[in-house]
């Protein structure tokens, strides 16, 4: 039986890679020397290196503690959501604030754009809104549209886009390990953080396993026709569950063997200084102020 | 059906976040003994499984596709409390790392996808299991029924939330009809996949299927003198704690709905907003438009809802409650599960 070792902290290689990434980006910010024997990979392309979703560039947003970032970006999104429908000036101001954060994070534009594809269903819904909303109608290019739906749909589109942007910045500037440590710092219950840790660690593993199952099915010519395909997918998913569960049991056993006592240790993280909090909350505070002013004006 | 930022107003989002936090805290407490014994690795892997399975799209028709929500599936496989924890974990990962579902809408998404689908799926599965013959194969059918009902139930709760805190005035009846029609289709896909996955797991590792406990027949030993000795198939936890385990989350969910409906309808009456606008503007014109679907009972909800938007909210919530109560009532009518008969 293949024994999977206890998960290693995903933070360590990330940290080393970040150093390498900063060095390759040509910023001489006193880069600490690489650990002796560490493999130095020279990047072929000029694109910044990545560790999962975390983009390894140096920026003020990257340097902020994860928990401050979670709070700040959620507050920023909340400020955007609080802007009343149709307050275009306020929405534009919030949009500028979010774009400022995106720019400050130094994430590549193309990468941000690619990660915004998740939003597609929302865009479709927003485009449908003028057709299904109630209220007075307007005639736009021969289409009978609801005015409220038009205004509301556009507002929704802007708000959802800005929300997605905030989330993309969070994922792009924070390593998964730091994010989990940040959640721990935000008093998310410890068992929840522990489960989250394993979920994050193994999501990619199981997704890869699912891909292998899919390839195996295709190779065997499995599933033409919708129903057959569904059956094949379902059988694959059943196998995936059993494999995942058994992997979990193996991981658990190996943890017990290595002295797991029932409590999961906290992920180490540094508290945020007052200055960092202030830095993190400047933009969200501005967004909230914009929303408050817009609400008062509406 | 991840809800993005801005779909629901801030007060509704905050209310649903509070409700979700309470529900997840209850689930965590309930699964704590389990978490202490099993450790975090297994639920973590189950979450990763749900995450991977949610990426599998299946065609719904008309060029669109739906994906598995997995609430009923997880409830059948690992029990409702752990399932709520696992699905919450999946949603947190999706919101924080994949920008799928807004940061401010996380509470709403947890309520809809983690709490409602799991609870409805679990209740329906349990109810179906009491009706169906007591053998392992029944679990797949029961879980499929749970999956079938859980998706439209979550859609109805969304309609209720939207009627209370939606940003754009959409006629709740129309929205309910559209969402239901859509999600019944997705529910069929969910049911097929859920049933097939559960039966695949039952075939290979029946001990992993939580709902299977109690469906195995007792062993009856007859000795040479004709004395019958019954060895119960399940020795662990009898029905009582499990039933108690159902009541509290259900109560939490119901209180949640009440809080959301009550709290936000107060806000709605404070200043005329989308809802009252809908009530005022939608006159008789839309009644004629709705007549295409007037034959269905849902149309009644819609027409009844035109006068008072609150009624629609209530209707949506009642839909879920009625589903739950029907399943529970059916279960009670059939009688208690025979434990060691």
């Amino acid at each position: 039986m293949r024994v999977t070792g206890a998960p290693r902290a995903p933070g360590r290689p990330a940290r080393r890679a970040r150093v390498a990434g900063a060095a390759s980006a040509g910023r001489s910010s006193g880069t600490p020397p690489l650990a002796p024997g560490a493999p130095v990979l020279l990047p072929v392309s000029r694109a910044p290196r990545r560790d999962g979703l975390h983009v390894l560039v140096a920026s003020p947003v990257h340097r902020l503690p994860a928990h401050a970032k979670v709070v700040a970006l959620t507050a920023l999104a909340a400020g955007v959501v609080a802007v009343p429908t149709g307050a275009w000036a306020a929405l534009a101001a919030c949009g500028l604030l979010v774009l400022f954060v995106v720019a400050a994070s130094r994430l590549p534009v193309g990468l941000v754009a690619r990660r915004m594809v998740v939003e597609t269903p929302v865009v479709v819904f927003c485009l449908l809104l003028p057709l299904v909303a109630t209220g007075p109608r307007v005639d736009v290019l021969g289409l009978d549209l609801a005015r409220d739906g038009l205004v509301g749909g556009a507002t929704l589109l802007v708000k959802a886009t800005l929300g997605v942007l905030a989330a993309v910045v969070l994922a792009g500037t924070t390593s998964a390990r730091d994010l989990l440590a940040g959640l721990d710092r935000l008093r998310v219950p410890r068992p929840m953080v522990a489960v989250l840790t394993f979920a994050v660690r193994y999501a990619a593993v199981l997704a890869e396993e699912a891909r292998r199952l899919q390839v195996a099915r295709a190779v065997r010519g499995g599933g033409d026709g919708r129903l057959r395909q569904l059956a094949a997918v379902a059988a694959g998913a059943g196998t995936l569950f059993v494999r995942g569960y058994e992997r979990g049991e193996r991981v658990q056993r190996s943890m017990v063997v290595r002295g797991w006592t029932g409590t999961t240790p906290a992920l180490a993280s540094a508290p945020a200084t007052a200055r960092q909090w202030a830095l993190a909350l400047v933009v969200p505070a501005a967004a909230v102020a914009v929303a408050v002013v817009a609400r008062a004006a509406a | 059906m991840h809800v993005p930022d801005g779909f629901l107003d801030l007060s509704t989002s905050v209310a649903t976040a509070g409700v979700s936090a309470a529900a997840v805290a209850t689930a965590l407490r309930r699964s704590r003994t389990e978490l202490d014994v099993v450790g975090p690795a297994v639920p973590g892997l189950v979450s990763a499984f749900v995450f991977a399975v949610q990426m599998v799209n299946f065609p719904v028709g008309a060029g669109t596709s739906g994906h598995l929500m997995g609430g009923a599936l997880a409830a059948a496989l690992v029990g409702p409390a752990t399932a709520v924890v696992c699905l919450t974990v999946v949603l947190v990962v999706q919101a924080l790392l994949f920008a799928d579902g807004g940061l401010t809408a996380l509470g709403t998404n947890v309520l809809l996808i983690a709490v409602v689908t799991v609870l409805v799926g679990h209740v329906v599965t349990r109810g179906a299991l009491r009706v169906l013959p007591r053998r392992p194969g029944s679990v797949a059918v029961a879980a499929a029924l749970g999956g079938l009902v859980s998706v439209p139930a979550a859609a109805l709760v969304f309609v209720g939330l939207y009627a209370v805190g939606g940003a754009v005035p959409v006629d709740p009846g129309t929205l309910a009809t559209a969402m239901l029609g859509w999600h019944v289709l997705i529910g069929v896909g969910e049911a097929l996949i859920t049933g097939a996955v559960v039966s695949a797991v039952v075939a290979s590792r029946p001990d992993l299927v939580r709902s299977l406990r109690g469906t195995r027949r007792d062993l009856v030993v007859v000795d040479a003198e004709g004395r019958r000795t019954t060895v119960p198939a399940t020795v662990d936890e009898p029905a009582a704690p499990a039933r108690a385990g159902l009541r509290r989350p259900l109560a939490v969910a119901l209180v949640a709905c009440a809080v959301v409906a009550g709290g936000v309808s107060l806000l709605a009456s404070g200043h005329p907003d989308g809802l009252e606008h809908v009530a005022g503007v939608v006159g008789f014109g839309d009644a004629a438009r709705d007549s295409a679907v007037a034959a269905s009972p849902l149309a009644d909800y819609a027409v009844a809802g035109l006068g008072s938007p609150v009624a629609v909210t209530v209707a949506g919530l009642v839909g879920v409650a009625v589903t739950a109560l029907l399943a529970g009532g059916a279960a009670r009518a059939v009688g208690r599960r025979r434990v060691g008969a």
Side-chain angles (χ1 to χ4, degrees), chain A residues 53 70 73-74 77-79 81-82 85 115 118-119 122 125-126 129 132-137 144 148-149 151-153 156 159-160 162-164 166-168 170-171 174-176 179 183 189-192 194-196 198-200 202-204 206-207 210 226-227 230-231 233-235 237-249 251-252 255 260 262 264 295, chain B residues 2 4-10 13 24 28 32 35-53 55-56 58-61 77-78 84-86 88-90 92-93 95-104 158 162 167-171 174-175 179 188-189 192-193 196-198 200-201 204-205 207-209 271 277-278 281-282 286 289:
Chain A
L53 294 164
V70 171
L73 288 170
T74 308
V81 171
T85 303
R115 288 195 184 164
V118 221
E119 210 200 341
V122 182
F125 184 89
C126 291
L129 262 181
V132 298
T134 53
R137 322 290 292 182
D144 181 32
D148 286 349
V151 173
L156 267 191
K159 285 183 181 179
L162 295 182
V164 171
V168 167
L170 179 63
T174 321
S175 73
L179 195 56
L183 290 181
R190 188 64 59 77
M192 191 83 179
V195 176
L196 258 169
F198 280 96
V200 167
Y202 283 101
L206 283 205
R226 189 168 290 179
L227 211 61
L230 196 67
V233 166
T239 312
L240 190 66
F241 174 77
V242 173
R243 286 191 190 176
Y245 198 101
E246 288 180 345
R247 188 187 285 268
E249 286 177 330
V251 170
Q252 182 62 30
M255 274 165 61
W260 185 72
T264 313
R295 291 206 105 155
Chain B
H2 289 52
D5 285 314
F7 254 50
L8 302 174
D9 61 20
L10 211 53
S13 299
V24 174
L28 264 180
R32 170 149 293 176
L35 275 179
D36 283 347
V37 175
V38 181
V42 169
L45 264 294
V46 172
S47 306
F49 161 74
V50 174
F51 183 84
V53 156
M55 296 201 289
V56 177
F58 53 84
V60 176
L77 291 176
V78 294
V84 169
V85 174
C86 289
T88 305
V89 161
V90 170
V92 169
V93 170
L96 290 186
L97 290 176
F98 292 89
D100 196 3
L103 292 174
T104 60
F158 172 76
Y162 195 88
V168 178
V170 176
D171 173 33
T174 318
L175 185 64
M179 285 288 283
V188 171
L192 290 175
I193 294 193
V197 170
V198 170
V201 179
S204 56
R205 284 286 304 269
D207 57 313
L208 298 189
V209 182
H271 51 93
H277 193 70
V278 171
V281 170
V282 178
D286 269 36
R289 205 169 297 154

Side-chain angles (χ1 to χ4, degrees), chain A residues 149-249:
Chain A
L150 214 53
V151 173
T155 308
L156 267 191
L157 194 56
V158 172
K159 285 183 181 179
T161 308
L162 295 182
V164 171
L165 269 177
V168 167
V169 167
L170 179 63
T173 60
T174 321
S175 73
R177 185 231 173 257
D178 288 346
L179 195 56
L180 293 167
L183 290 181
D184 194 54
R185 220 161 237 293
L186 290 174
R187 301 268 186 283
V188 173
R190 188 64 59 77
M192 191 83 179
V193 176
V195 176
L196 258 169
T197 310
F198 280 96
V200 167
R201 174 72 182 80
Y202 283 101
V205 175
L206 283 205
E208 176 59 23
E209 193 127 16
R211 206 186 57 80
R212 281 204 296 277
L213 285 168
Q214 205 175 356
V215 168
R217 195 191 75 215
V219 163
R220 286 162 178 75
D224 53 335
R226 189 168 290 179
L227 211 61
R228 281 265 202 79
Q229 204 174 345
L230 196 67
V233 166
T239 312
L240 190 66
F241 174 77
V242 173
R243 286 191 190 176
Y245 198 101
E246 288 180 345
R247 188 187 285 268
E249 286 177 330

Side-chain angles (χ1 to χ4, degrees), chain A residues 70-155:
Chain A
V70 171
V71 171
L73 288 170
T74 308
L76 181 58
V80 171
V81 171
V83 172
T85 303
W88 301 119
L91 277 178
C94 284
L96 283 180
L97 287 172
V98 173
L99 287 179
F100 170 73
V101 172
V102 175
S105 71
R106 298 207 184 122
L107 295 174
V109 177
L111 181 131
V112 173
R114 248 175 294 133
R115 288 195 184 164
M116 293 194 64
V117 173
V118 221
E119 210 200 341
T120 318
V122 182
V123 175
V124 173
F125 184 89
C126 291
L127 291 180
L128 284 178
L129 262 181
L131 299 172
V132 298
T134 53
R137 322 290 292 182
V138 286
D139 196 61
V140 181
L141 301 172
L143 285 171
D144 181 32
L145 303 175
R147 207 186 58 210
D148 286 349
L150 214 53
V151 173
T155 308

